[in-house]
Amino acid sequence: MNNALQAIADKVEAGTRLTPEEGLFLYQHGELGFLGRLANGVRERKNGQYTYFNRNFHIEPTNVCVFSCAFCSYSRMYKNKEDGWEMTKEQMLDIVRSYDGKPVTEAHIVGGVHPKMDLDFFCDLIASIKAHRPDLHVKAFTAVELDYMFRKAKVSIAEGMKKLIDSGLGSLPGGGAEIFAPEIRTKICADKATGDLWLEIHETAHKQGIHSNATMLYGHIEAYADRIDHMLQLRNLQDRTGGFNTFIPLKFRNKGNDMSHVSESTVIEDLRNYAVSRIFLDNFNHIKAYWPMIGRNTAQMSLAFGVDDVDGTIDDTTKIYTMAGSEEQAPAMSTEELVKLILQAGRVPVERDTLYNVIEEFAKQ
Ligand code: V47
Ligand code: SF4
């Protein structure tokens, strides 16, 4: 093996943090088998054979959005308002009530940035959900939605965050991060919150005692160096706060958006990306493969490339990826199917709550 790759492998095996240059070198020169072996070592040191999932459902309040990200197949403000939906509070509560008596632990609420759904509306929504089902964890709103909500309400990030937490917000999902590098960000999502603002909002959430996730939209026009820059900024913030639960690489899908001319990454590149993320983000406990986006087959393979979490047993309640061309047209998987998928990969399925507390470990059948 190339001496430089061997030196990096020695560092990873000794648990030593990689420099950005070494991370970049892995992207440029690490072949799939090599990266997989290293990433799997890190994954097994951190999580053993455990592979997590949770029982959640999604609420997408609206797909009307004031922004116009070029990669988005979902927003309808500027495209075709007839396909747009706007849910009332009661309609969203009906979704929550439809899970009464079912063992879900988390509501995931993310949507477009609607000009009229404001901070008070969402505080009231969360408080009503918590009044109906106090034990349900509400993971809601990307930093992009929050930035708009707070600016419209003329409150600081800290004030707005406090209001939401007081209403029952449990954590933040990782969306809206895309790629932080300004040269790429201005080409793919010029008009929404900057990378610095995304980081500031998550830092504020962590300082107020709640956790969050982080994502990276990859496989479009970014360079490897942009991915490393993105992960470096997340790693630095995690050093300061320890508030991130998990890192979720999101594969760019090219159907029905303004970037349809950009080809999608290969499965090999997807697996290499999971592996480099697992190796580089040494202070993140978990790497999640969001199976509705990459499909269940790649999700299953990713478990040998650093991934230890396959998201939830969601019903067909999310449209963001089906509209962008994911092969998962009706992303629902029963717990039984998810458990089987994990067992087939030789791992131990573990149901978790949002904060990775173990709810149930499933034995081999
Ligand atoms: O920020 C939009 C992405 C994100 C496309 O925190 C696209 O547990 C690929 O962040 N191709 C929102 N990706 C979804 C998200 C998420 C999903 C699941 C779990 C969690 C979590 C967070 O979806 C957006 C954007 O990066 N996205 N369009 C597309 N064409
Ligand atoms: Fe709006 Fe989010 Fe789509 Fe951007 S990615 S246009 S912010 S819904």
Side-chain angles (χ1 to χ4, degrees), residues 58 71-73 108 110 139 142 172-178 192 213 215 217 248 250-254 257 288 290 293 311 320-321 324:
H58 287 223
F71 55 80
C72 183
S73 324
H108 173 130
V110 168
K139 179 180 80 182
T142 64
L172 305 186
E178 322 313 357
K192 73 181 185 189
N213 291 337
T215 58
L217 182 70
I248 313 163
L250 295 172
K251 172 194 176 90
F252 164 67
R253 306 303 310 238
N254 69 3
N257 54 48
K288 187 198 287 195
Y290 186 51
M293 174 190 58
D311 205 71
I320 194 159
Y321 292 113

Side-chain angles (χ1 to χ4, degrees), residues 144 174-180 185 192 195 198 214-217 230 234:
V144 171
E178 322 313 357
I179 280 282
F180 295 142
R185 207 171 176 86
K192 73 181 185 189
W198 189 99
T215 58
M216 174 174 78
L217 182 70
H230 188 91
L234 293 172

Side-chain angles (χ1 to χ4, degrees), residues 95-290:
I95 297 179
V96 176
R97 290 188 202 105
S98 72
Y99 288 92
D100 284 357
K102 297 189 184 157
V104 292
T105 58
E106 177 189 284
H108 173 130
I109 309 177
V110 168
V113 180
H114 193 288
K116 295 215 177 80
M117 290 179 176
D118 62 8
L119 180 59
D120 287 336
F121 174 81
F122 283 122
C123 285
D124 183 38
L125 172 71
I126 296 176
S128 306
I129 294 174
K130 294 297 280 186
H132 179 72
R133 192 160 175 175
D135 60 329
L136 192 67
H137 181 105
V138 178
K139 179 180 80 182
F141 311 128
T142 64
V144 171
E145 293 169 274
L146 293 173
D147 165 50
Y148 187 82
M149 235 184 264
F150 297 164
R151 278 192 289 121
K152 265 213 119 163
K154 297 195 169 45
V155 294
S156 67
I157 297 172
E159 286 163 341
M161 197 70 73
K162 182 166 185 323
K163 270 193 92 166
L164 287 165
I165 294 172
D166 289 347
S167 304
L169 179 71
S171 64
L172 305 186
E178 322 313 357
I179 280 282
F180 295 142
E183 318 79 68
I184 304 295
R185 207 171 176 86
T186 47
K187 289 190 186 130
I188 64 171
C189 54
D191 53 356
K192 73 181 185 189
T194 61
D196 285 348
L197 201 46
W198 189 99
L199 290 159
E200 191 184 343
I201 289 171
H202 282 254
E203 182 156 12
T204 307
H206 298 170
K207 286 186 172 150
Q208 294 194 15
I210 64 169
H211 284 74
S212 71
N213 291 337
T215 58
M216 174 174 78
L217 182 70
Y218 73 93
H220 42 94
I221 57 164
E222 87 290 358
Y224 285 143
D226 299 317
R227 296 192 206 173
I228 289 292
D229 167 73
H230 188 91
M231 290 194 281
L232 182 64
Q233 298 200 55
L234 293 172
R235 195 171 78 174
N236 290 342
L237 177 52
Q238 181 76 329
D239 276 344
R240 293 201 295 281
T241 65
F244 286 119
N245 283 331
T246 184
F247 178 66
I248 313 163
L250 295 172
K251 172 194 176 90
F252 164 67
R253 306 303 310 238
N254 69 3
K255 187 172 150 227
N257 54 48
D258 293 343
M259 287 170 66
S260 293
H261 57 285
V262 176
S263 25
E264 294 182 355
S265 55
T266 60
V267 174
I268 289 180
E269 188 55 26
D270 297 333
L271 296 174
R272 292 180 76 249
N273 186 63
Y274 282 121
V276 176
S277 313
R278 178 56 292 169
I279 296 164
F280 191 72
L281 291 172
D282 61 336
N283 54 2
F284 275 64
N285 287 335
H286 305 285
I287 304 288
K288 187 198 287 195
Y290 186 51

